[in-house]
């Protein structure tokens, strides 16, 4: 049921910071609107809302005018017709209302300024395709040309038109993200279109970067395992890559493992998606897919090394190891490998002991102490120090004197 304008005005006025913006927006030449997820969340009664404002006019110019009047800063991207303003603790994103033209499926669209109704018509789902007027007589009026309000009440995620997923297959991942976040479900017609688009190879038209952005956002949701379960149900995992086997339980355990080890929950969950390869060829192909996602190099290496190493590590840790063996096995492994090993059933105790006690362990002596005692610099010296550390980790040495004596005798023996 539509809320009366007065109710929406009152809700707008209660949004932190908006009361400062509204009078100044009203003085500008262009109509402006709260749009997208902000309206959805406003109608759901959320208290914390990202202010996304659409301007039927020049959004960067509007942002500069607001910043000048309110004593804030504006960062404009004139080419894209977007800008961000900051006034004290308030942040708002402004964008010129636009239409989007897809030259080919999966490509980024060309954008051109257009009236509000076209801006709403280019959006992903009905619940994200509403606007509330922020200016003029109609302040507080809901613009809802696609029935977003009804779907919001019913809990449906529904696309605006039949070709939506083919035009932009990132919407397949976005749909599951909103399902998980809002506790909604795909409308049956939309679910059918999603299955058809996935089966028809729509996701293969996307660049790795576009997949990564949406996959990371999906895996960052508090209910990522729920979204992953849906990924499998709709066949989107296999559509992304035939060897992706999304196991929600494993993803949940990997996220938990990430909390225990200080790993990134998103990268650990991504690694959990990628351990289903059944042959070397498939594994290499999956690794190429991960490499093509355009992750920064350390993140990519963390995911790849977790998928390669975690299963063997989980096996190895099933039997008791000496502290020095544990140290040797785990040193240099990214935290994501440890998180995934935990998810695969590795016992927590040795991993947590490694992180808390073994990883930070250091000798009280250094190479300089050995050189001062007459040992020439050479690789033997490093080997003697490593062996001394090993003995220390296993509790066979105590204190600086014992360390020095042991390291010296090891170095001399080696010579
Ligand atoms: P929220 O919906 O809560 O803002 P978000 O911050 O992840 O979630 P963004 O990706 O910033 O959302 O998108 C903001 C709005 O832009 C969406 O609500 C939607 O209306 C629109 N939008 C974003 N991506 C797309 C897309 N691929 N296709 C159509 N509309 C999109």
């Amino acid at each position: 049921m539509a809320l009366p304008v007065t109710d929406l005005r009152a809700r707008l006025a209660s949004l932190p910071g908006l009361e400062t913006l509204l009078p100044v927006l009203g003085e500008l030449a262009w109509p402006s609107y709260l749009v997208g997820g902000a309206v959805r969340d406003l109608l759901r009664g959320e208290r914390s809302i990202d202010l996304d404002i659409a301007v039927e006019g020049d959004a960067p110019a509007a942002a500069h005018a607001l910043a000048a009047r309110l004593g804030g800063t504006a960062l404009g991207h004139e080419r894209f017709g977007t800008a961000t303003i900051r006034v004290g603790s308030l942040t708002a994103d402004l964008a010129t209302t636009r239409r989007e033209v897809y030259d080919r499926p999966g490509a980024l669209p060309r954008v051109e300024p257009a009236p509000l109704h076209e801006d709403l018509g280019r959006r992903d789902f009905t619940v994200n395709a509403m606007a509330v007027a922020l200016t003029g007589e109609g302040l507080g009026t809901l613009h809802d040309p696609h029935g977003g309000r009804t779907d919001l009440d019913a809990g449906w995620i529904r696309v605006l038109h039949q070709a939506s997923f083919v035009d932009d297959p990132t919407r397949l991942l976005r749909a599951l993200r909103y399902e998980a976040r809002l506790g909604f479900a795909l409308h049956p017609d939309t679910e059918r279109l999603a299955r058809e688009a996935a089966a028809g190879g729509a996701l293969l038209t996307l660049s790795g970067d576009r997949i990564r952005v949406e996959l990371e956002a999906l895996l960052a949701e508090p209910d990522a395992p729920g979204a992953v379960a849906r990924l499998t149900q709709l066949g989107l995992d296999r559509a992304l890559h035939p060897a992706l086997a999304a196991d929600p339980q494993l993803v949940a355990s990997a996220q938990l493992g990430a909390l225990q080890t200080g790993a990134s929950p998103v990268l650990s969950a991504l690694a959990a998606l990628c351990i289903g390869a059944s042959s070397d060829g498939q594994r290499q192909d999956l690794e190429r897919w991960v490499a093509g996602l355009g992750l920064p190099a350390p993140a990519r290496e963390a995911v790849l090394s977790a998928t390669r190493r975690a299963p063997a590590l989980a096996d190895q840790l099933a039997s008791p190891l000496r502290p020095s063996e544990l140290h040797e096995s785990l040193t240099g492994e990214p935290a994501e490998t440890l998180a995934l090993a935990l998810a695969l059933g590795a016992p927590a105790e040795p991993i947590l002991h490694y992180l808390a006690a073994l990883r930070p362990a250091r000798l009280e002596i250094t190479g300089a102490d050995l050189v001062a005692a007459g040992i020439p610099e050479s690789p033997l010296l490093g080997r003697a120090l490593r062996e001394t550390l090993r003995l220390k980790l296993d509790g066979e040495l105590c204190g600086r004197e014992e360390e020095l004596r042991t390291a010296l005798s090891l170095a001399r023996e080696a010579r």
Side-chain angles (χ1 to χ4, degrees):
M1 194 195 311
L3 279 184
V5 166
T6 44
D7 277 16
L8 269 176
R9 272 193 195 166
R11 283 203 200 175
L12 283 178
S14 73
L15 292 183
L18 204 60
E19 73 284 359
T20 356
L21 284 187
L22 282 179
V24 189
L25 274 174
E27 289 168 17
L28 301 178
W30 305 293
S32 55
Y33 308 86
L34 196 66
V35 283
V39 176
R40 180 196 69 220
D41 292 343
L42 182 78
L43 293 172
R44 281 167 53 80
E46 299 276 339
R47 290 295 305 153
S48 154
I49 288 179
D50 291 337
L51 293 180
D52 278 325
I53 297 175
V55 180
E56 254 179 336
D58 187 341
H64 286 294
L66 283 170
R69 274 291 304 278
L70 298 170
T73 58
L75 183 64
H77 302 283
E78 276 69 15
R79 234 183 83 212
F80 300 108
T82 61
T84 301
I85 58 159
R86 291 203 167 75
V87 182
S89 61
L90 167 80
T91 301
D93 288 316
L94 281 74
T96 297
T97 50
R98 66 196 50 208
R99 75 172 63 91
E100 291 181 346
V101 185
Y102 290 89
D103 290 330
R104 61 177 171 80
L108 282 172
R110 273 186 292 124
V111 301
E112 300 162 1
L116 176 73
H117 74 273
E118 289 197 50
D119 188 279
L120 297 181
R122 74 175 170 88
R123 288 174 185 264
D124 46 4
F125 307 112
T126 58
V127 295
N128 289 342
M130 295 181 274
V132 176
L134 296 178
T135 51
E137 290 290 294
L139 172 70
T141 305
L142 180 68
H143 294 257
D144 179 17
H146 303 284
R149 185 66 219 251
T150 312
D151 284 346
L152 198 59
D153 288 340
W156 291 131
I157 300 296
R158 190 200 306 249
V159 285
L160 270 53
H161 58 90
Q162 300 273 317
S164 183
F165 287 130
V166 176
D167 279 349
D168 182 349
T170 62
R171 293 174 186 157
L172 292 163
L173 299 172
R174 296 178 65 81
L176 304 196
R177 168 149 68 94
Y178 288 119
E179 272 194 337
R181 188 190 313 166
L182 304 171
F184 283 17
L186 290 191
H187 185 275
D189 295 338
T190 294
E191 178 154 337
R192 180 179 50 76
L193 292 170
R195 285 179 189 277
E196 284 171 10
L203 285 162
L204 302 177
T205 62
L206 290 175
S207 68
D209 279 316
R210 297 195 71 206
I211 294 175
R212 184 197 72 245
V213 168
E214 290 300 338
L215 202 52
E216 283 189 325
L218 182 141
L219 294 174
E221 285 294 329
D223 185 21
V228 165
R230 293 285 286 147
L231 212 56
T232 310
Q233 274 175 19
L234 298 182
L236 296 189
D237 52 354
R238 304 280 177 178
L240 281 167
H241 189 283
L244 274 193
D247 172 352
Q249 201 58 53
L250 190 64
V251 167
S253 305
Q255 288 183 314
L256 200 64
L259 282 182
Q260 290 174 287
T261 56
S264 148
V266 168
L267 296 180
S268 306
L270 179 58
L273 294 184
C274 295
I275 58 162
S278 57
S279 66
D280 280 350
Q282 207 175 41
R283 195 166 305 115
Q284 283 164 11
D285 201 45
L286 191 54
E287 291 195 356
R288 274 195 292 277
W289 180 80
V290 172
L293 292 177
L295 286 161
R300 183 189 62 225
E301 285 315 307
V303 172
L304 290 177
S305 117
T307 57
R308 283 180 200 140
R309 285 277 299 137
L313 206 54
D315 279 350
Q316 193 191 1
L317 295 180
S319 328
L321 294 179
R322 294 165 68 86
S324 58
E325 292 169 328
L326 196 56
H327 187 264
E328 194 174 316
S329 285
L330 301 192
T331 296
E333 293 294 351
E336 287 71 18
T337 305
L338 308 186
L340 189 56
L342 283 171
L344 291 169
E349 197 276 327
I351 291 184
L352 299 185
H353 178 59
Y354 165 75
L355 291 173
L358 304 182
R359 187 171 63 175
R362 298 284 179 274
L363 290 174
E364 292 178 47
I365 57 168
T366 66
D369 294 307
L370 302 192
V371 173
I375 307 287
E377 285 191 47
S378 83
L380 293 179
L381 192 145
R383 211 178 301 154
L385 286 173
R386 278 196 296 281
E387 178 62 13
T388 308
L389 176 62
R390 209 178 59 73
L391 293 166
K392 176 177 174 153
L393 292 172
D394 288 340
E396 291 172 31
L397 297 178
C398 185
R400 186 184 152 78
E401 284 314 308
E402 273 191 46
E403 285 180 17
L404 189 57
R405 205 172 332 116
T406 307
L408 284 174
S409 90
L410 285 166
R412 281 176 189 137
E413 259 172 43
R415 287 174 72 208

